[in-house]
Amino acid sequence: MPDSRTPSGDQPSDQTVPKVVVSRISLYLRELQRLQAAGQQTISSGTLGALLGFSDAQVRKDLGFFGQFGYPGVGYRCDELIHAMRDILGTNHRWPVVMVGVGNLGQALLGYRGFGRQNFSIEAAFDTDPSKVGTVIQGLTIRDVAELPEVVRRLGIRLGMIVVPADRAQEVADRLVAAGIDGIVNFAPVTLTLPPHVETVAVDLAIELEQLSFAVTNKFGKPAGEGPAGAQEPR
Amino acid sequence: MPDSRTPSGDQPSDQTVPKVVVSRISLYLRELQRLQAAGQQTISSGTLGALLGFSDAQVRKDLGFFGQFGYPGVGYRCDELIHAMRDILGTNHRWPVVMVGVGNLGQALLGYRGFGRQNFSIEAAFDTDPSKVGTVIQGLTIRDVAELPEVVRRLGIRLGMIVVPADRAQEVADRLVAAGIDGIVNFAPVTLTLPPHVETVAVDLAIELEQLSFAVTNKFGKPAGEGPAGAQEPR
């Protein structure tokens, strides 16, 4: 849709960069942050790739989508590359985020330190359960979901997280969209229907287990103790 | 590495199938399960793709890695395709899983229904905190991590989940490997060093927010209220 806001730098639009490249940028960033915390100042594309199981060509090709980085014979300076990657991802700025749903998972997410480390800050959390509204979790007072539009507007919030059961996720998504949210991370195991201007990323906590199941199955065969052949076999 | 255990069917090994294809199989499966629950019996590649934002050609190409599915003029039967995808992923069998770490996130995962729906069952949970060991959460008695090898062996468990803080994740990974685990889902925001025969999938709960940040940043520009130009601007 036409929009007066455009990317401010010379970054390509997200339509020209494959999603898988963007997800590898997150992985490179994590690894660089880990290396920097351990005191390392520079790194080569080969070493960075090897630490993550990619070739050096892959690393250079991925970074090539976004510009020229590094120095001949030296490699990359960790601090510069971290800054560049945060620029790419849009996380050199702190993002305020709203969360809807403070069940077990929501409460865990409120205490998850990985968000703050990547510059995301959960500024408000909502629920519909009267026994939760008004309670304080991790320093945040849980609000009634009816207050969502006012809070989103007042705090200038653009990102929301849906952490409610699957059968309530679409209704919550509609509320977030109506409140003016531009992007949604959805933890509910259901596909949302959203207007085209709203970006969404789904989190399904079972998908990683499925991917692991595929990898282990295709390497080793079926689960031990399952199926006719292995039913009584010890491992 | 050479291994006497080989895939039992005509499935290609995971080395021939790009990881991104396997992750889309999980997405197709979720959507098919949702459609089936809503009473739908057949679906075309075009409709399935459209629901997820992929082309029909993409859907057919992805499925083509694993065989021939569907009927001309009819499309796919949902139940057959669900069964086929579970066969691909190795989840027509139930997988027993162990979990290490029952902090906030671990407790949330113990109550997460998405695992059971995809045929994963957390059969044992471990912690080192004496105040947690022996307590019952979601029907499971939390065990001391020292019991890990015995439990893994007795229950024939091959998959483990690490849900401990980042600075303890490698130590827990080493324990899981020593206990004979073949695959690890790692929720700690740190890269693990593992022997080559052990598969691993990392979960980083901030990565989805980063991916969303990229998408929203490249569509709309910087976060509202951040940076010199927008510092005092209302949305």
Side-chain angles (χ1 to χ4, degrees):
Chain A
M1 86 178 188
D3 194 295
S4 62
R5 291 168 289 184
T6 51
S8 56
D10 52 1
Q11 246 168 256
S13 90
D14 60 348
Q15 270 141 8
T16 67
V17 182
K19 279 191 178 174
V20 65
V21 173
V22 184
S23 67
R24 282 197 295 266
I25 297 292
S26 282
L27 295 182
Y28 299 145
L29 175 58
R30 288 299 177 286
E31 195 61 29
L32 288 163
Q33 289 175 319
R34 198 179 68 77
L35 292 165
Q36 190 184 44
Q40 193 160 336
Q41 303 207 330
T42 61
I43 191 165
S44 67
S45 56
T47 307
L48 180 58
L51 286 166
L52 293 162
F54 305 127
S55 69
D56 60 334
Q58 179 78 72
V59 173
R60 280 184 273 109
K61 189 177 164 200
D62 286 346
L63 296 180
F65 275 101
F66 304 100
Q68 292 283 349
F69 306 96
Y71 305 93
V74 177
Y76 308 104
R77 282 188 50 118
C78 291
D79 55 353
E80 286 182 6
L81 199 52
I82 287 170
H83 189 89
M85 290 191 170
R86 282 182 175 282
D87 247 6
I88 291 166
L89 294 168
T91 59
N92 272 323
H93 298 264
R94 195 153 186 89
W95 287 93
V97 178
V98 291
M99 191 175 94
V100 183
V102 287
N104 275 328
L105 183 58
Q107 292 183 39
L109 295 178
L110 284 177
Y112 187 67
R113 295 186 186 176
F115 293 141
R117 206 175 302 148
Q118 304 308 333
N119 250 344
F120 299 98
S121 168
I122 303 177
E123 295 289 330
F126 301 83
D127 208 294
T128 49
D129 181 347
S131 76
K132 282 179 184 147
V133 173
T135 62
V136 177
I137 302 175
Q138 300 278 343
L140 269 190
T141 303
I142 309 307
R143 297 160 183 271
D144 190 288
V145 77
E147 295 178 54
L148 190 60
E150 188 270 320
V151 172
V152 165
R153 191 171 49 242
R154 183 161 47 81
L155 301 181
I157 288 174
R158 297 173 57 198
L159 305 183
M161 290 199 286
I162 296 179
V163 200
V164 299
D167 58 0
R168 292 208 35 238
Q170 183 62 51
E171 168 208 334
V172 169
D174 295 342
R175 279 177 180 268
L176 286 168
V177 170
I181 286 289
D182 294 322
I184 292 174
V185 171
N186 178 26
F187 281 84
V190 63
T191 304
L192 300 175
T193 304
L194 295 169
H197 71 278
V198 176
E199 299 286 342
T200 188
V201 178
V203 182
D204 181 333
L205 299 170
I207 278 190
E208 280 85 4
L209 271 172
E210 271 183 5
Q211 301 296 303
L212 192 65
S213 166
F214 176 86
V216 170
T217 298
N218 285 283
K219 189 180 265 175
F220 292 134
K222 300 296 179 192
E226 296 275 358
Q232 299 301 322
E233 280 177 10
R235 293 187 76 237
Chain B
M1 93 182 180
D3 194 297
S4 61
R5 291 168 287 186
T6 51
S8 55
D10 52 1
Q11 247 169 252
S13 90
D14 59 347
Q15 269 141 9
T16 67
V17 183
K19 279 191 177 173
V20 65
V21 173
V22 184
S23 67
R24 281 198 294 266
I25 297 292
S26 282
L27 295 183
Y28 299 145
L29 174 58
R30 289 297 177 287
E31 195 61 29
L32 287 164
Q33 290 175 319
R34 197 180 68 78
L35 292 165
Q36 191 185 45
Q40 194 162 335
Q41 303 207 330
T42 61
I43 192 166
S44 68
S45 56
T47 307
L48 180 58
L51 286 166
L52 293 162
F54 304 128
S55 69
D56 61 333
Q58 180 77 72
V59 173
R60 280 184 273 109
K61 190 178 164 199
D62 287 345
L63 296 180
F65 275 100
F66 304 100
Q68 291 283 349
F69 306 96
Y71 305 92
V74 177
Y76 307 105
R77 283 188 51 119
C78 291
D79 56 353
E80 286 181 7
L81 198 53
I82 287 170
H83 189 88
M85 290 191 170
R86 283 184 175 282
D87 247 7
I88 291 166
L89 294 168
T91 58
N92 272 322
H93 299 265
R94 195 156 186 85
W95 287 93
V97 178
V98 290
M99 190 174 94
V100 184
V102 287
N104 274 328
L105 183 57
Q107 292 183 39
L109 294 178
L110 285 176
Y112 186 68
R113 295 188 186 174
F115 293 141
R117 207 175 301 149
Q118 305 306 335
N119 250 345
F120 299 98
S121 169
I122 302 177
E123 295 289 329
F126 300 83
D127 208 293
T128 50
D129 181 347
S131 76
K132 283 180 183 146
V133 172
T135 63
V136 177
I137 302 175
Q138 301 278 344
L140 270 190
T141 302
I142 309 307
R143 297 161 183 271
D144 190 288
V145 77
E147 296 177 54
L148 190 60
E150 187 271 319
V151 172
V152 165
R153 191 171 50 241
R154 182 162 47 81
L155 301 180
I157 289 175
R158 297 173 58 198
L159 304 184
M161 290 199 284
I162 296 179
V163 200
V164 298
D167 58 359
R168 292 207 37 238
Q170 183 63 51
E171 167 208 333
V172 170
D174 295 342
R175 281 176 180 268
L176 286 168
V177 171
I181 287 289
D182 295 321
I184 293 174
V185 171
N186 178 25
F187 281 84
V190 64
T191 304
L192 301 175
T193 304
L194 295 169
H197 71 277
V198 176
E199 300 285 342
T200 187
V201 178
V203 182
D204 181 333
L205 299 169
I207 279 190
E208 281 85 2
L209 271 173
E210 272 184 3
Q211 301 296 303
L212 191 64
S213 166
F214 176 85
V216 170
T217 298
N218 286 283
K219 191 180 265 176
F220 292 133
K222 300 294 177 191
E226 296 273 1
Q232 300 301 320
E233 279 178 9
R235 293 187 76 238

